[in-house]
Amino acid sequence: MSASAPSHHFIYTDWNLIETQFDPEQINHKGTVFTIGNGYLGTRGSFEEGYPRALSATLINGVYDDVPVVYTELANCPDWLPLTVRIDGENFRLDRGEVLSYQRQLDLQRGILSRKVRWRSPKGKTLDLYFERFASLADQNVLALRCQVTPLDFNGSIAVSASLNGYPENQGYNHWEEIERGDGDGTIWLHVRTRSSHVELGMAAKLLLSGTEGTFQVTSVPGYPTVETTFAVAAGQTATLDKIVTVFTSREAQTPAHVAQEKLAQLSSYSQLQSAHIGAWEEVWQHSDILIEGDTKAQLAVRYNLFQLLVSAPRHDNRVSIPAKTLSGFGYRGHIFWDTEIFILPFFIYTQPKIARNLLTYRYHTLNGARRKASYYGYKGAMFAWESAETGDEVTPRWALPNQPYAEDIRIWCRDREIHISSDIAYAIWYYWQATNDDEWMRDCGAEIILDGAVFWNSRIEWNPKQQRYEIREVIGADEYHEHVSNNAFTNRMVQWHLEKAIAVYQWLCDRFPERAAELETKLGLTAKLRDRWEDMAANLWIPYDPTTGLIEQYEGFFNLEDIDLAHYEPRTRSMQEILGIEGANKRQVLKQPDVLMLLYLMRQSEEFPYNKEILQKNWDYYAPRTDITYGSSLGPAIHGILASDLGQSDEAYKLFLQAAMVDLEDVRGNAADGIHAASAGGVWQAVVFGFGGFKLTQEGPVATPHLPSHWQRLKFKIHWRSTWYDFDLRAEASEQKAEGKIQGVIFDLDGVLTDTAEFHYRAWQRLADEEGIPFDRQANEALRGISRRESLMRIVGDRNYTEAQLEEMMERKNRYYVESIQDITPNNLLPGARELLDELRAAGIKIAIGSASKNARMVIEHLGIADKVDAIADGYSVQLSKPAPDLFLHAAELLGLEPSQCVVVEDAESGIEAGLAAGMLTVGLGPAERVGKAHVVLPSLEGVTWEDLQSQLFGTAAGSRY
Ligand code: BGC
Ligand code: BGC
């Protein structure tokens, strides 16, 4: 785990992202991270009760509205989340009262976000709250939220109100005007319209109560319809509130408010909606999942990135695409870049081809915008927008407006010069076609995009009579640190490639679909003469490549710029452009992101010019050290990672892969609050499949030549290629240990084995006893080892008279003191030998679980900094029966996907050894034989213990044994 990771309070398991603490400072980073969606809309992970600084947002794909400077943006839609819980006049909020326990969890497998909180109100009432929400993947217009409330130490009345917030803002700007609102039959609804684009939206909601009886009341403040229920519950009784919401816009329904109400009336129960949703996810993962064994952090991170792509990808709409920040934040205003075609699309082409087709069809529908752009600049054909929205007209802002009074406005040149986008789209279309053989789509849509793009290039490319070559002047390449360049190798080669493919597509159309060819000839002005010119241009377009050195010059004159040594600027937390200024970066050989290397990457698949291993190595050695891979563009690391992997630099490759994979989870660049880095997420899929998996398409079909990171045991994924699914199940070379022993998992008890929290428990009990005036000391504490919380308290209070409620409260208080004090736990609190053994087990591909009775186990693990070494956690919440019952260890084995006989238990308590034996596992006891003598192997502690020792003692033999 990286040094900064623990502060994000995350635990990673195979499928679940778990947050163990609420930190108001991270509210907007986490708002992005906990985004859910269903391809139709995305909802940021804001809390139901609302916080003033939270950027809450629900973005519906394609719902754009005008806005100054950046032209158009995705309008933040009415918020469907608001739900407040009021007890005795006090609203539940995490920033008031006391949070006794907290856990938020994103279940990637089922697409469900949940939160479990134990909270004490300022007036001292304690309750458990459980929240859960999903955006139905089975029915895109349906959203559902559940809240369960259980009072713990009082009987009383609780009020819950559920609202629709018709005043959402895009950072201060409200795009909506209300048309109408209303209610009826316990439901509320809202009908609004965007101010300029006049997209109408209808949202309806109902609130259902179960577990107790209540009264309902509807209030309808302008723009904020609310339904409230008041009910009585007794201590220990759970009330369940289901808020079901429907949403439609005029993009898919003529009368969206009406349709939303009708739909709402027809919906089944929360649990039925949920099962349909889970079923839909199951289907998606069947094709799109990647399984990684031996690296839980990578496993979770990869699934997380794929999840975020899947929730933002249009499933039923081909007039929208995936914005650079998905539907998860305000960054880049919902605009669409080359990020989709080059970074994101491969994941969809090879695992969800229908979605890939939707994404590409968006470019077909925006062709007219691209034509308007070409004609505005005095060219012909289709010149695609660098930043695109609904119509395909250019929406890259012309100016960046500073917020300092005397700073100058900055002209953004990407709209005028970053023209490689047109060929990037052609590239994506070509590979979609190759992978799917979707001739029909190619005939109807793809060909026209490629051909009209070539028409544009024909008008854009210049002939240089002096040099007798074609050139492309005044562009911005992939590397945006250099804004006024000519003959950028990346652009020129991509254009050349585009022309080559245009000629092939034109020929194919003439052969296969002569009618369509004739139609396009008329529409686009295609002639035999034009085709000859494309050929001439493709043959004579200059690529600045020097065969004597193997080096490609990024653009004409790049090598004359002042050189730079990036090491001199380390350590840094800002981009090189911020450090040097725009002009400073322009003047130096420093790159924001791969450019020549990006070109090599794109030509790698087909091994076309200029790709070959030697050229790659030469150019890698030159450009990688000059690229701002940490704070330049987030598009860089995944691509560099793949190339590093090709060049045999596996440690570097893995490091770069993690940099991409953790960009949002761990906010590696400090800007995750703006939204998910979608291109990086797509790059992560490519890094795993193309990089580590070594997946390539050959004449004979797909093949994989894996270069797995050394600790990965297995990598499994599916690829769809020309109507067939290919399963790749790549395993690391069976290690010696695996061949030798049957043991595949080790389950560690936590306390007394990996760490010692006895002191922290002691201090908490002591503080409680002092407050209650009960005598207690260290010696008395000794008798509490391995004893449950309740039993310990009973021993402390002895025969003093306390009511059950008082006892409950005291246990709560002790736990609170304990939880407070374990915040001080650091990796230094690991017991000697623990880290070494964990690392060794991981390297040997042995799975690791925690089997601890503690309800705080997750938090302790996180503070110890070993969360990324652990594959599964069975804790105080996992099972009913405690040790010596075998249940907890059996549960841990199940989580690991292993048979009990494949597991070893490491324990320091007698009851733990008994539990391990009862579970049919091998056992290692730590401590005196009087306590753990029943174990198969008894050791004083983990200090100096190696996996080899353990195996030799357990089996009496060893692989390459020292004995
Ligand atoms: C990006 C450009 C983008 C511009 C305006 C810059 O930060 O690098 O690609 O066009 O912002 O949104
Ligand atoms: C990158 C572009 C990218 C854009 C949107 C910019 O910072 O330089 O390559 O398309 O961000 O992600």
Side-chain angles (χ1 to χ4, degrees):
M1 181 178 281
S2 73
S4 63
S7 63
H8 297 292
H9 314 295
F10 278 144
I11 288 176
Y12 307 125
T13 72
D14 287 1
W15 279 106
N16 288 290
L17 172 67
I18 300 164
E19 185 194 40
T20 56
Q21 201 173 312
F22 167 64
D23 181 350
E25 292 305 312
Q26 296 178 7
I27 197 160
N28 289 322
H29 162 217
K30 299 296 175 63
T32 295
V33 168
F34 288 108
T35 294
I36 57 162
N38 59 8
Y40 171 75
L41 58 68
T43 294
R44 284 173 59 83
S46 317
F47 294 114
E48 290 76 0
E49 62 275 17
Y51 293 88
R53 284 187 308 118
L55 298 169
S56 35
T58 287
L59 299 173
I60 299 185
N61 211 348
V63 178
Y64 288 97
D65 192 35
D66 298 0
V67 61
V69 185
V70 297
Y71 310 107
T72 186
E73 67 184 358
L74 280 180
N76 189 6
C77 293
D79 189 4
W80 61 281
L81 297 179
L83 186 128
T84 52
V85 178
R86 203 165 63 248
I87 318 105
D88 202 6
E90 296 179 310
N91 281 356
F92 159 67
R93 301 181 55 84
L94 294 166
D95 55 1
R96 292 202 201 124
E98 280 174 85
V99 177
L100 304 174
S101 69
Y102 171 93
Q103 180 170 309
R104 178 157 52 157
Q105 172 165 333
L106 179 58
D107 178 340
L108 303 169
Q109 193 167 25
R110 305 185 311 144
I112 292 173
L113 178 64
S114 64
R115 174 167 56 134
K116 220 188 295 184
V117 183
R118 179 165 290 185
W119 182 71
R120 178 162 302 139
S121 74
K123 289 186 187 160
K125 296 196 161 154
T126 317
L127 52 156
D128 277 343
L129 294 122
Y130 175 74
F131 294 88
E132 186 181 272
R133 71 172 81 136
F134 62 90
S136 174
L137 196 70
D139 195 342
Q140 64 171 15
N141 303 94
V142 176
L143 310 163
L145 188 163
R146 167 167 277 187
C147 169
Q148 292 181 312
V149 192
T150 316
L152 293 179
D153 50 9
F154 66 98
N155 305 328
S157 142
I158 295 185
V160 172
S161 53
S163 313
L164 300 175
N165 177 10
Y167 298 109
E169 282 185 355
N170 285 62
Q171 299 158 305
Y173 192 90
N174 179 354
H175 282 286
W176 301 93
E177 51 194 11
E178 186 180 293
I179 299 174
E180 222 186 335
R181 66 176 182 283
D183 58 75
D185 242 6
T187 70
I188 47 174
W189 55 270
L190 197 60
H191 185 187
V192 294
R193 177 172 58 203
T194 55
R195 293 182 192 281
S196 309
S197 59
H198 294 168
V199 178
E200 290 183 29
L201 179 147
M203 197 179 257
K206 62 183 172 190
L207 184 66
L208 304 167
L209 170 67
S210 56
T212 178
E213 304 272 290
T215 58
F216 284 80
Q217 195 190 351
V218 170
T219 55
S220 192
V221 203
Y224 206 87
T226 299
V227 51
E228 176 167 304
T229 174
T230 307
F231 51 87
V233 260
Q237 186 187 358
T238 299
T240 298
L241 290 309
D242 294 335
K243 179 180 181 183
I244 317 253
V245 180
T246 53
V247 57
F248 286 85
T249 74
S250 50
R251 295 186 73 256
E252 72 276 359
Q254 271 198 341
T255 51
H258 181 71
V259 177
Q261 291 167 68
E262 270 194 342
K263 173 94 185 177
L264 186 69
Q266 291 157 9
L267 290 181
S268 48
S269 70
Y270 181 92
S271 31
Q272 276 167 313
L273 295 174
Q274 196 186 55
S275 335
H277 166 72
I278 294 171
W281 269 109
E282 215 170 274
E283 227 168 88
V284 166
W285 283 122
Q286 251 173 35
H287 294 134
S288 294
D289 186 30
I290 291 184
L291 177 98
I292 295 168
E293 285 181 3
D295 189 343
T296 311
K297 181 174 179 173
Q299 171 68 90
L300 184 279
V302 167
R303 283 182 172 148
Y304 177 78
N305 281 287
L306 302 187
F307 175 86
Q308 286 300 345
L309 292 178
L310 289 163
V311 300
S312 57
R315 306 168 69 76
H316 309 291
D317 190 346
N318 62 20
R319 289 179 176 269
V320 296
S321 181
I322 301 181
K325 300 283 181 188
T326 70
L327 303 171
S328 64
F330 300 122
Y332 292 128
R333 314 288 179 146
H335 297 176
I336 292 135
F337 294 67
W338 72 319
D339 303 34
T340 310
E341 280 76 14
I342 296 299
F343 293 83
I344 300 170
L345 209 75
F347 166 59
F348 290 105
I349 291 180
Y350 297 110
T351 79
Q352 302 281 343
K354 281 200 187 118
I355 293 181
R357 179 175 164 140
N358 284 344
L359 293 169
L360 288 172
T361 310
Y362 161 79
R363 294 297 189 177
Y364 178 74
H365 290 306
T366 52
L367 259 174
N368 283 339
R371 289 175 178 133
R372 284 190 292 272
K373 177 174 173 184
S375 111
Y376 168 81
Y377 283 96
Y379 302 116
K380 294 204 167 69
M383 178 187 191
F384 278 92
W386 172 245
E387 293 185 30
S388 182
E390 194 185 4
T391 61
D393 287 290
E394 181 58 76
V395 293
T396 305
R398 249 193 199 83
W399 299 98
L401 310 181
N403 47 17
Q404 288 175 357
Y406 304 110
E408 297 291 324
D409 298 350
I410 296 166
R411 178 68 159 84
I412 296 172
W413 292 103
C414 300
R415 53 167 29 239
D416 316 272
R417 300 188 180 143
E418 200 157 357
I419 56 177
H420 61 81
I421 173 78
S422 293
S423 295
D424 305 333
I425 294 170
Y427 181 92
I429 290 174
W430 180 267
Y431 278 100
Y432 166 76
W433 187 37
Q434 295 304 303
T436 58
N437 273 345
D438 187 351
D439 289 349
E440 193 187 310
W441 184 84
M442 192 62 180
R443 177 196 64 202
D444 296 342
C445 304
E448 186 169 342
I449 303 176
I450 293 189
L451 294 172
D452 217 19
V455 172
F456 161 66
W457 288 123
N458 180 64
S459 66
R460 178 66 171 80
I461 294 172
E462 295 162 54
W463 174 248
N464 180 336
K466 224 161 114 199
Q467 303 283 355
Q468 289 291 300
R469 64 190 186 202
Y470 287 103
E471 300 190 342
I472 305 179
R473 310 197 65 83
E474 278 299 296
V475 301
I476 298 178
D479 160 32
E480 295 182 345
Y481 281 176
H482 300 93
E483 297 186 309
H484 303 270
V485 315
S486 288
N487 293 314
N488 165 247
F490 174 86
T491 307
N492 286 20
R493 175 60 186 126
M494 289 298 285
V495 171
Q496 184 184 51
W497 184 96
H498 181 166
L499 292 172
E500 288 161 4
K501 298 305 183 234
I503 295 162
V505 168
Y506 190 11
Q507 191 58 51
W508 171 81
L509 263 193
C510 293
D511 295 346
R512 289 279 310 278
F513 302 105
E515 271 174 34
R516 176 67 173 151
E519 193 182 314
L520 288 182
E521 277 163 359
T522 316
K523 186 171 178 187
L524 313 180
L526 308 180
T527 57
K529 210 171 130 213
L530 180 64
R531 188 188 357 204
D532 293 346
R533 238 179 92 86
W534 288 348
E535 260 166 26
D536 185 33
M537 285 177 156
N540 297 299
L541 185 58
W542 183 45
I543 314 284
Y545 164 65
D546 180 353
T548 56
T549 59
L551 275 186
I552 299 161
E553 188 170 20
Q554 183 171 314
Y555 58 82
E556 193 178 352
F558 181 82
F559 290 150
N560 302 333
L561 300 180
E562 195 180 311
D563 207 359
I564 195 166
D565 181 356
L566 292 183
H568 283 156
Y569 297 85
E570 298 297 342
R572 61 188 168 95
T573 52
R574 292 184 304 155
S575 76
M576 287 309 297
Q577 191 181 54
E578 280 170 87
I579 292 172
L580 300 170
I582 295 182
E583 269 319 300
N586 249 320
K587 282 198 303 227
R588 290 183 175 78
Q589 294 192 42
V590 55
L591 285 67
K592 179 182 186 185
Q593 65 206 89
D595 192 300
V596 166
L597 293 176
M598 192 68 209
L599 172 63
L600 288 168
Y601 177 61
L602 293 182
M603 295 301 148
R604 163 188 185 271
Q605 171 102 318
S606 52
E607 303 202 353
E608 279 174 88
F609 175 79
Y611 181 89
N612 69 40
K613 267 278 171 63
E614 295 74 59
I615 295 183
L616 174 61
Q617 183 74 58
K618 292 242 162 72
N619 287 280
W620 170 268
D621 292 344
Y622 194 83
Y623 289 105
R626 291 171 174 80
T627 307
D628 183 0
I629 209 73
T630 42
Y631 292 98
S633 167
S634 65
L635 277 56
I639 304 302
H640 269 201
I642 299 168
L643 297 177
S645 174
D646 283 359
L647 295 171
Q649 302 185 20
S650 20
D651 290 349
E652 181 67 6
Y654 184 70
K655 206 176 100 202
L656 287 158
F657 153 77
L658 274 190
Q659 208 178 314
M662 304 318 285
V663 67
D664 293 311
L665 285 169
E666 293 185 353
D667 200 6
V668 170
R669 286 162 191 267
N671 62 356
D674 296 342
I676 292 292
H677 292 79
S680 173
V684 165
W685 184 87
Q686 298 188 50
V688 174
V689 172
F690 297 160
F692 299 141
F695 169 80
K696 276 216 166 122
L697 295 159
T698 68
Q699 292 301 334
E700 291 78 47
V703 295
T705 338
H707 322 271
L708 301 191
S710 56
H711 56 298
W712 288 18
Q713 289 303 303
R714 186 176 178 198
L715 169 63
K716 190 168 179 278
F717 57 85
K718 275 196 181 130
I719 292 289
H720 190 255
W721 171 254
R722 303 190 173 168
S723 316
T724 307
W725 283 101
Y726 292 83
D727 277 301
F728 288 89
D729 193 349
L730 314 171
R731 289 167 196 266
E733 295 289 304
S735 65
E736 249 183 293
Q737 286 91 339
K738 256 188 147 174
E740 172 69 24
K742 55 185 172 135
I743 293 306
Q744 293 190 22
V746 179
I747 306 172
F748 290 93
D749 172 37
L750 188 56
D751 220 353
V753 172
L754 296 178
T755 186
D756 197 349
T757 52
E759 178 64 18
F760 296 94
H761 283 292
Y762 161 65
R763 283 190 230 156
W765 283 128
Q766 186 71 60
R767 188 167 160 195
L768 178 87
D770 290 350
E771 282 168 357
E772 292 295 318
I774 305 175
F776 185 69
D777 57 18
R778 272 182 194 281
Q779 203 192 336
N781 184 62
E782 270 309 295
L784 306 183
R785 230 177 227 282
I787 304 273
S788 76
R789 201 184 296 168
R790 174 177 289 271
E791 188 51 31
S792 299
L793 180 65
M794 297 319 281
R795 293 200 190 184
I796 293 172
V797 299
D799 47 15
R800 289 172 188 79
N801 250 339
Y802 285 102
T803 65
E804 177 55 25
Q806 284 171 318
L807 292 172
E808 284 276 350
E809 185 281 326
M810 284 160 74
M811 286 192 282
E812 195 71 69
R813 187 151 28 118
K814 182 266 170 178
N815 188 49
R816 187 152 26 97
Y817 295 155
Y818 174 70
V819 169
E820 264 170 43
S821 70
I822 60 179
Q823 302 306 326
D824 299 336
I825 291 184
T826 71
N828 291 335
N829 290 88
L830 273 176
L831 286 172
R835 175 182 302 279
E836 293 75 7
L837 182 60
L838 290 174
D839 284 340
E840 206 197 333
L841 289 171
R842 284 214 81 83
I846 303 293
K847 290 192 169 184
I848 298 173
I850 300 298
S852 160
S854 165
K855 293 199 168 164
N856 298 304
R858 283 179 192 278
M859 201 188 293
V860 173
I861 286 160
E862 197 199 327
H863 285 285
L864 288 172
I866 54 167
D868 64 334
K869 303 187 194 301
V870 168
D871 297 293
I873 297 171
D875 62 10
Y877 294 104
S878 303
V879 292
Q880 293 284 334
L881 291 179
S882 48
K883 302 170 192 175
D887 302 36
L888 190 72
F889 291 142
L890 290 174
H891 181 67
E894 200 180 309
L895 290 176
L896 292 180
L898 298 177
E899 295 300 319
S901 61
Q902 295 174 303
C903 298
V904 181
V905 160
V906 185
E907 259 288 353
D908 72 318
E910 184 172 9
S911 60
I913 297 296
E914 283 170 6
L917 293 171
M921 297 174 180
L922 288 169
T923 52
V924 176
L926 303 183
E930 306 84 75
R931 198 166 76 211
V932 293
K934 288 183 199 150
H936 294 92
V937 171
V938 175
L939 297 168
S941 73
L942 290 181
E943 194 165 2
V945 173
T946 66
W947 177 223
E948 196 184 327
D949 293 343
L950 271 186
Q951 286 186 98
S952 69
Q953 299 207 30
L954 285 165
F955 301 113
T957 59
S961 155
R962 291 183 271 139
Y963 297 99

